[in-house]
Amino acid sequence: MRLTRTIAGFAALALAAGCAGSHGTAGAPFAPATSVAAAPGTTGFAYDSAAIATSAFVGPAAFGRFAIDVVLPMRDAEGLRRYAAAASDPKAPEYRHFLEPSDIADRFSVTAADQARAIAYFHANGLAVATWKQRMLVRVAGSQAQLERAFHTHFGTYRDRSGATFFAPMTPPSVDAGVPVSGSPNIVARATAYKPFFVPSTGIGTGLAPQQIAAAFDFTGAYAAGYTGAGITIGIIGTGPVQISTSSRIGDLEAYKRLYHVAGSSAVTIVSPDATDPVVNANSGFASPPPVTAPCTAASIAGAPPSEFPTATCNPEDFEAQIDTEQTGALARDSAIQFFLAYNPNDGCPSVGIASPCPAGAGHAQQGLAENDEEVQTAIDRNSADVLSLSYGGSEKGTAAPPGGASPPYEFAADGTGLAPNQFAALAALGIAVFVSSGDSGANGCQGPPLAGSVDQLCVSYPASDPSVVGVGGVTTPVNSAGQLVGPISAWGLQTSFGTSGSGGGVSGFFAQPAYQIGALGMLGSMRNSPDVALEAAPSTGVATLANADPALGGASLRPFGGTSVAAPEMAAMWALVLQACKTTASCVAKGSGTRPYRMGNPDALFYGIYKNAAAYGKTFLPVTYGNNSIALYCYYNGSDAANCPTPAPGSTATPLPVPIPIDSGYNANPSGGYNQITGIGVPFGRALIRAVVGV
C-alpha cells in the first residue's frame, strides 16, 4: 500500500528576493488575492494570499502563542545561486572554493544593520526572535495580540475546498515602513502535502540486511580499501523522533548494528535549535524534543501523526527516522550522524487536512516535518554536516489550484526563485552535498488529495527537483542472502509494485535545466529532469528497519520498508565514503580550500561528467534498462477532480473515498541504456565511484 499523509509543515513559501525599500533581485512571487493595500505608513510583503482567495471565511481566529517565519530581503539571491553552481562545477574557477555561513550573510543576504532593524521592530512589539548566522530568515513568536499588532492585521479562520480549516490574516499583513521584510511562509497557517517517502514492504521476511545492500552496491569494495565514512558527518533533516543511545537507553542505530553484527563507530546525535542555542533568543518557541515514548496514538492535533505533532507523553517513532539513521549509519559505518530535529511545544493551531479546533488559549506542539525550514536553517548555520539526506517532499505543482490552473507550492516562486532554492543554494555554497528522495508516486507526483485538476498531470516532487540537490530515485534489487544479484536491477515501478507506487521522476515545470544536464543524452525538454541517480527502493525488496529497540519502549519492531526514503540515505552514505577518500588523499584535498577542503559541493556536476564520458560511465554506473513509473491514478468525488472520476451508475450515490482509475502514462527506461526519468543516469557502485571521483 502506498503511504500518503497530509503534513501540517510550514514549508518555505515562494518568496521574493526583494521588497519595497530593499535591493532584492526578484519581484513578488505571486499576485495578491485582493486589491486592498497595506495600511498607510506600512510596507506589505509576500504571503500565501491565493489560499485565502480560494477559501471560505469561517470567523475570527482564537489561538495562543504562535511562531511566524519572516524572510528577510536578500541583496543578491541570484548571485548566491550562481555561486553555488560554480563552486560545484569542476570547469569553473570557483570550484570547491566554499563559503562559511557568515560569508553568505555578508555577500548575499540582508545587511547586519537591516536585520538588526527588523529584530528591534519585533522586539518592540513584544515578540521573541530567533536568528541564524546566514541572515536569511528570522522567526518571531508571541501571543495572538502581539502578532496582530506587529503585522497590522487580525487573524481569521478559513475553510479550503477540501474542508480543512486554517487561520490566516483577514487583511493584508504589513510591517512599519522601513522594516526589511520580504515575506512569510506560514503567516497563512495552512496544510501542505510534504510527506515522508517510505512504503511498507511487500516482500517476505524482515527485509534486506545492511550486508546485502553493501554487497549489492559494492560498499564492501570501498570497505576493503579502507573507506568506511570515518571523519565524515552525515546530516539528516528529521521528520520525527529517533531514540539515541544514552546512559539508560540503547539507541535504535546501536541496536541495529548489534543485531546485524555491523562493525564501526557510527552514532547518532540530535541537533535541535532551542533556547540555549547562541543564535536564538530565549522564548523563541524552540525547545528540546520530548523523550521518545512507546507507540501511542494521541497527538496534539486529533488525527495527525503523533510523531510530528506530539504531546509530552506521546512521542512515538514513525520508522522514517529509523530508515534514515540506520541506512546511513550501517553503510557509512564509521561516520558521525547528526539528526536535525526542531520542536516547538506551542505553535498555534495549524490544519492537517482535518478540522482541529484550538485548545483554549493554547496551541499545538510541532516537530520534525512541521518545522523543516528551521531544521534546514540550523544545518546551514552549524555547517557541521558534510552530507545531508532528506527523505520527504511534495508535489512540485503544489496543493493550491486557483483559477487558471495549478500553482507552485510555497517553497518557491513560479520562476524557480524563493526561500527554499536559496536555502539549498546556500548548502551547496558551503560545500554540503544534499541527497533528496524523488518520491514514491511515480510519474504522478501530484498524487494525494488533489485540488482542481492537478492529480492527472505528470509532475515531479520538490525538493528533489531543485537544481542544487541530487534527486535520488529507486530500483528493484533482487539479491540472495550474500547480496549477490539473482536477477536484473530494474526501475522501481509498475512491474514491481503492481501499479500502486514507483520511483518519482519526470520533468520540472519550474526549474530550468541546470548546466550539468545540458547535452546529456536522454534529457527531455529544456527544464530540469529528475531524478539524477538511483539505489534500492522497491517495497518488494525492502530493507530491514528496527524501531523501539530499547526495552522501555515496549518491545522492538523489525519490519521491511521500501520507498525512495531508503535510496536517499543509502546514497548519502556512499558519498560519505567518497568524501573520506578525498579527505585522506592529498591531491584531492589540494583542489579544495577553506576549513573543509575535502568537500565537493553538489555532486551532480561530477555525476553527469562521468555520464558524459562513456569509458568512465561504464566502469562506475549501471544504466537501468527496464521498467516504467506509471502508477494507478485516483479520482476523488469531491468535485475537485471530476475529469478523472468515472460516471456513477444511474441512481447511485457518489462516494468520497478514492477510487482507482486506469493507469496513466509515465516514463520508460531506455532499453539501450542511458538517462531515464525513473532512475536518472543509473545505479552507482561504491568502490568504482571513489575511483571515478577521487582517483584512488
Side-chain angles (χ1 to χ4, degrees), residues 202-363:
T202 56
I204 298 174
T206 57
L208 298 178
Q211 288 90 343
Q212 291 172 284
I213 295 295
F217 299 108
D218 202 26
F219 285 80
T220 52
Y223 301 158
Y227 305 120
T228 58
I232 303 301
T233 299
I234 302 173
I236 295 167
I237 300 301
T239 58
V242 61
Q243 180 61 52
I244 64 171
S245 291
T246 66
S247 59
S248 59
R249 285 190 175 187
I250 185 171
D252 294 314
L253 174 59
E254 182 180 350
Y256 187 76
K257 291 171 69 177
R258 287 184 186 178
L259 177 65
Y260 286 104
H261 304 286
V262 175
S265 61
S266 59
V268 179
T269 57
I270 294 177
V271 180
S272 297
D274 59 37
T276 64
D277 192 310
V279 301
V280 303
N281 299 155
N283 302 316
S284 60
F286 293 119
S288 296
V292 177
T293 67
C296 50
T297 57
S300 59
I301 304 178
S307 60
E308 292 154 24
F309 297 87
T311 66
T313 57
C314 180
N315 187 30
E317 298 180 334
D318 68 350
F319 278 103
E320 176 60 74
Q322 289 64 47
I323 293 171
D324 293 337
T325 53
E326 289 164 13
Q327 289 303 300
T328 52
L331 294 174
R333 59 194 192 187
D334 284 313
S335 63
I337 312 295
Q338 291 186 338
F339 192 78
F340 291 90
L341 185 66
Y343 170 73
N344 189 325
N346 187 340
D347 207 2
C349 303
S351 164
V352 292
I354 57 174
S356 51
C358 250

Side-chain angles (χ1 to χ4, degrees), residues 161-557:
R161 292 172 177 174
S162 71
T165 58
F166 62 94
F167 67 85
M170 295 168 60
T171 57
S174 61
V175 292
D176 283 0
V179 177
V181 171
S182 64
S184 172
N186 67 332
I187 198 168
V188 175
R190 64 192 294 261
T192 184
Y194 262 7
K195 57 183 180 291
F197 287 137
F198 68 98
V199 184
S201 178
T202 56
I204 298 174
T206 57
L208 298 178
Q211 288 90 343
Q212 291 172 284
I213 295 295
F217 299 108
D218 202 26
F219 285 80
T220 52
Y223 301 158
Y227 305 120
T228 58
I232 303 301
T233 299
I234 302 173
I236 295 167
I237 300 301
T239 58
V242 61
Q243 180 61 52
I244 64 171
S245 291
T246 66
S247 59
S248 59
R249 285 190 175 187
I250 185 171
D252 294 314
L253 174 59
E254 182 180 350
Y256 187 76
K257 291 171 69 177
R258 287 184 186 178
L259 177 65
Y260 286 104
H261 304 286
V262 175
S265 61
S266 59
V268 179
T269 57
I270 294 177
V271 180
S272 297
D274 59 37
T276 64
D277 192 310
V279 301
V280 303
N281 299 155
N283 302 316
S284 60
F286 293 119
S288 296
V292 177
T293 67
C296 50
T297 57
S300 59
I301 304 178
S307 60
E308 292 154 24
F309 297 87
T311 66
T313 57
C314 180
N315 187 30
E317 298 180 334
D318 68 350
F319 278 103
E320 176 60 74
Q322 289 64 47
I323 293 171
D324 293 337
T325 53
E326 289 164 13
Q327 289 303 300
T328 52
L331 294 174
R333 59 194 192 187
D334 284 313
S335 63
I337 312 295
Q338 291 186 338
F339 192 78
F340 291 90
L341 185 66
Y343 170 73
N344 189 325
N346 187 340
D347 207 2
C349 303
S351 164
V352 292
I354 57 174
S356 51
C358 250
H364 297 296
Q366 297 197 140
Q367 177 177 253
L369 265 186
E371 306 281 349
N372 68 87
D373 280 330
E374 287 69 26
E375 293 170 350
V376 173
Q377 286 288 316
T378 301
I380 298 170
D381 177 278
R382 301 295 180 89
N383 194 21
S384 53
D386 303 304
V387 188
L388 277 184
S389 178
L390 283 66
S391 291
Y392 61 83
S395 163
E396 196 189 60
K397 294 186 184 297
T399 56
S407 66
Y410 307 111
E411 291 86 357
F412 56 87
D415 62 356
T417 64
L419 176 61
N422 292 342
Q423 289 183 147
F424 292 117
L427 289 165
L430 298 176
I432 300 171
V434 182
F435 296 91
V436 183
S437 303
S438 70
D440 298 346
S441 297
N444 291 88
C446 293
Q447 280 278 33
L451 289 177
S454 65
V455 69
D456 196 18
Q457 299 177 13
L458 298 180
C459 60
V460 295
S461 175
Y462 188 85
S465 63
D466 194 288
S468 296
V469 311
V470 179
V472 186
V475 295
T476 302
T477 314
V479 296
N480 62 17
S481 59
Q484 298 167 320
L485 289 173
V486 294
I489 292 177
S490 62
W492 169 39
L494 177 62
Q495 70 288 341
T496 55
S497 294
F498 309 104
T500 57
S501 58
S503 175
V507 182
S508 172
F510 303 100
F511 296 98
Q513 198 169 103
Y516 52 77
Q517 287 191 328
I518 294 174
L521 293 177
M523 295 295 110
L524 295 177
S526 61
M527 306 299 281
R528 175 103 144 108
N529 282 222
S530 178
D532 300 302
V533 296
L535 281 177
E536 163 57 30
S540 58
T541 51
V543 299
T545 305
L546 179 67
N548 301 311
D550 188 83
L553 301 179
S557 176

